[in-house]
Amino acid sequence: MMKALCMRLMHLGLDAHVVGDMTTPPVGKGDLLIASAGPGYFSTVMALLNVAREAGARTMVVTAQPGGPAPGIADAVIELPAQTMADDRSGKGSLLPMGSLYEAVQLVFFDLISILLREKTGQSAEHMRARHTNLE
């Protein structure tokens, strides 16, 4: 879902990159690292947040568990209340396995964000389409 968000941000003409791609530039002052930690903690997310912070970037965590360690060190937190693998064993939640419900909520939320950003920047859907790859 984070890659889908990055793609939509790129379609909006923003300088957005996916962590792990070899074309991702170094993060630093003036940048925003957006990470997802549905259950509130992943060792990889913690490491990325620390690297970004040490480099002077701001950090944001999208999560279903805002009391977790990753949201605790982020500059901003977006809570998406949905079942993750942190709470999928109670039998009271979604029938979807592990974090599938959280991922579905992320998809809808990220598309809503892209629509709002498109409107705020005065772009049309055609502007976004013009930035879509033709190499698929």
Side-chain angles (χ1 to χ4, degrees):
M1 294 306 116
M2 295 305 295
K3 191 167 189 172
L5 172 62
C6 185
M7 181 177 60
R8 290 292 180 249
L9 295 174
M10 187 277 302
H11 291 156
L12 285 162
L14 300 174
D15 188 18
H17 305 274
V18 175
V19 170
D21 284 354
M22 295 309 294
T23 57
T24 301
V27 67
K29 190 172 176 83
D31 291 330
L32 172 65
L33 173 74
I34 304 172
S36 175
Y41 175 84
F42 290 113
S43 60
T44 52
V45 169
M46 295 296 290
L48 292 170
L49 291 169
N50 284 320
V51 167
R53 290 178 59 191
E54 289 172 13
R58 293 187 42 117
T59 59
M60 177 187 296
V61 171
V62 181
T63 185
Q65 302 288 332
I73 65 168
D75 294 308
V77 177
I78 295 175
E79 180 184 0
L80 299 178
Q83 176 181 295
T84 70
M85 61 188 218
D87 53 10
D88 70 336
R89 296 181 184 164
S90 68
K92 298 177 185 175
S94 168
L95 295 175
L96 298 174
M98 298 186 298
S100 292
L101 184 59
Y102 172 73
E103 292 161 357
V105 169
Q106 276 186 305
L107 176 66
V108 172
F109 179 74
F110 292 159
D111 271 351
L112 291 172
I113 291 296
S114 70
I115 291 166
L116 291 171
L117 284 171
R118 185 184 73 207
E119 291 172 356
K120 192 164 188 76
T121 59
Q123 298 186 54
S124 68
E126 288 305 315
H127 288 120
M128 291 179 72
R129 277 191 197 91
R131 293 185 192 98
H132 192 281
T133 184
N134 62 356
L135 298 175
E136 288 185 327

